[in-house]
Amino acid sequence: MIIFLYGSDGYRLKQKSEEIIASYRKKHQSGLNFFKFDCADISAGEFIKIDEAVKNSSFFNEVKLIVLNNPFSQKIIADKLGELIKQYGLDKMKDVVVLAVENSDGGASWNGSRGLAELLKKPGNLVENINCLKGVKLTNWIKNEFAARGCATEPAALEQLIERAGNDSFSLAVNIDKLSNYLSGNGVKKILKPEDVELLIAGKIDLNIFDLVDAIASKNKVRALDILYKELKTGRDANYILTMIIFQFRNLLTVKDLASRTVAPDLISKKAGLHPFVVKKTMRELGKYQIDELKHIYGRLLDIDVFYKEGRVALEDSLFNLVFST
């Protein structure tokens, strides 16, 4: 049996695949017949691991689940997967389930592996194209995500969130978590209102965070202080600024590590779970830092976060001190 999930909506794609895996684990708890491979990391010589996972007998007569992430990331691997499906007739096997997950809607990013695409999309397979939502579907999805976190929403607040954050599900999920945590901690009924979105979600102005990090990286204290001062003066929440700086330096660390291992930019986006735009902007900053510098600054940011939550420091002062001393 083959299940093929693909599309541009990375977060919902991940959600769906995790639901399938969780359902499988609930039924088959031994864990001995579950296999997961990232095809972006598999070399031609290591493909035998996937081959063995398919052909070896399962333990306890359980159904075997083989998860293949990024099956189109390398043409040589995609071609071998196509041969494997045909060799063993995987689409017809009842005791082996292949879950193929590709964070792409096809085209050039599938490396010309039309043969594999045709096999995965073959009639009889379970195929779902998961692309970014729009309109009522997007609104309902966001509403359900808040409900899953124990929060209700006002229609105007949902409209404002979409206007500011767009329909990228990874970005929305981060903002939904942020808003839900805020609602859970304010001691009142958990209903999202427009003023909550206004307070915490900055939308397109978030580009200033890239500018702030760029100024810090360039040791341009005057520019960094100017950006920080203006952000705070215009009412930006200091905790939000800290959160976004931590987020960006975490991205820098992640991308720096992957780039040092010569991972291609399009694969960095997939492996790091970051939007290609974020990766592109982050890549421009990498030359300004050594990995040890990034670790040091990231550690300081985490210290500021902990000390602030413990009531040991004034957050705005800590942010200015960070800029002065970096």
Side-chain angles (χ1 to χ4, degrees):
M1 177 182 180
I2 292 177
I3 304 172
F4 181 33
L5 308 178
Y6 72 100
S8 58
D9 195 328
Y11 182 80
R12 288 174 51 244
L13 202 63
K14 184 171 179 286
Q15 270 190 325
K16 184 67 176 182
S17 63
E18 287 178 348
E19 286 174 11
I20 293 171
I21 292 170
S23 177
Y24 171 83
R25 287 185 180 278
K26 188 175 180 180
K27 293 179 183 176
H28 309 285
Q29 298 182 7
S30 75
L32 297 174
N33 299 295
F34 173 73
F35 302 89
K36 188 174 182 180
F37 301 96
D38 186 341
C39 296
D41 291 334
I42 295 287
S43 68
E46 293 173 323
F47 188 82
I48 190 173
K49 296 177 183 177
I50 299 177
D51 184 83
E52 289 175 345
V54 171
K55 70 182 182 182
N56 288 350
S57 300
S58 63
F59 291 90
F60 310 119
N61 294 318
E62 290 182 347
V63 172
K64 190 184 300 181
L65 176 62
I66 302 171
V67 180
L68 302 173
N69 288 320
N70 307 310
F72 292 91
S73 57
Q74 302 183 69
K75 188 176 188 305
I76 186 170
I77 300 300
D79 291 343
K80 283 181 173 292
L81 288 173
E83 294 168 5
L84 196 70
I85 291 171
K86 289 186 286 187
Q87 179 184 352
Y88 292 103
L90 292 176
D91 56 322
K92 298 182 178 65
M93 295 183 74
K94 303 297 183 184
D95 57 348
V96 177
V97 177
V98 173
L99 171 59
V101 184
E102 180 67 34
N103 186 192
S104 165
D105 201 27
S109 61
W110 285 13
N111 291 319
S113 304
R114 182 177 297 177
L116 177 59
E118 291 175 351
L119 287 168
L120 293 176
K121 290 184 175 183
K122 187 177 176 180
N125 295 344
L126 297 178
V127 181
E128 188 171 352
N129 185 2
I130 303 177
N131 285 320
C132 294
L133 297 171
K134 297 179 181 178
V136 175
K137 290 183 178 179
L138 176 61
T139 302
N140 287 339
W141 179 79
I142 296 172
K143 191 185 301 183
N144 290 335
E145 288 295 305
F146 273 109
R149 293 162 175 78
C151 301
T153 54
E154 290 186 356
L158 290 178
E159 290 179 10
Q160 190 167 16
L161 176 58
I162 293 170
E163 181 181 340
R164 290 182 171 231
N167 69 339
D168 178 74
S169 57
F170 272 115
S171 174
L172 281 168
V174 169
N175 287 315
I176 290 169
D177 278 338
K178 184 192 310 176
L179 289 164
S180 298
N181 290 335
Y182 171 74
L183 292 173
S184 299
N186 66 7
V188 298
K189 193 174 181 180
K190 301 177 184 178
I191 301 177
L192 181 71
K193 299 178 180 297
E195 52 265 34
D196 301 321
V197 179
E198 179 75 27
L199 175 65
L200 294 177
I201 309 303
K204 294 180 181 178
I205 303 176
D206 282 346
L207 288 173
N208 285 349
I209 299 300
F210 284 109
D211 294 337
L212 179 57
V213 172
D214 178 71
I216 294 172
S218 302
K219 308 288 192 295
N220 189 338
K221 292 182 173 58
V222 173
R223 182 165 176 262
L225 289 169
D226 182 58
I227 294 171
L228 178 58
Y229 173 76
K230 287 179 179 177
E231 289 291 291
L232 292 170
K233 188 176 181 180
T234 54
R236 179 84 75 177
D237 180 64
N239 189 43
Y240 175 77
I241 294 175
L242 175 63
T243 299
M244 293 307 296
I245 295 175
I246 289 174
F247 173 74
Q248 181 57 9
F249 271 96
R250 185 190 301 127
N251 291 346
L252 279 164
L253 265 171
T254 302
V255 174
K256 182 82 171 179
D257 175 62
L258 291 171
S260 70
R261 292 189 272 136
T262 65
V263 177
D266 58 332
L267 291 183
I268 288 177
S269 177
K270 291 181 180 180
K271 294 174 79 65
L274 297 171
H275 192 281
F277 171 77
V278 175
V279 172
K280 184 178 179 181
K281 293 282 289 185
T282 303
M283 292 282 283
R284 297 174 187 171
E285 306 288 337
L286 295 186
K288 300 172 182 176
Y289 286 106
Q290 298 297 320
I291 191 72
D292 289 341
E293 290 180 281
L294 286 174
K295 289 179 179 178
H296 174 69
I297 295 173
Y298 188 62
R300 286 193 60 195
L301 287 166
L302 295 182
D303 285 342
I304 292 172
D305 188 37
V306 171
F307 295 159
Y308 165 66
K309 289 175 179 175
E310 292 177 347
R312 296 164 58 185
V313 298
L315 187 51
E316 291 189 10
D317 290 344
S318 295
L319 289 172
F320 280 111
N321 287 335
L322 174 74
V323 172
F324 273 120
S325 60
T326 301

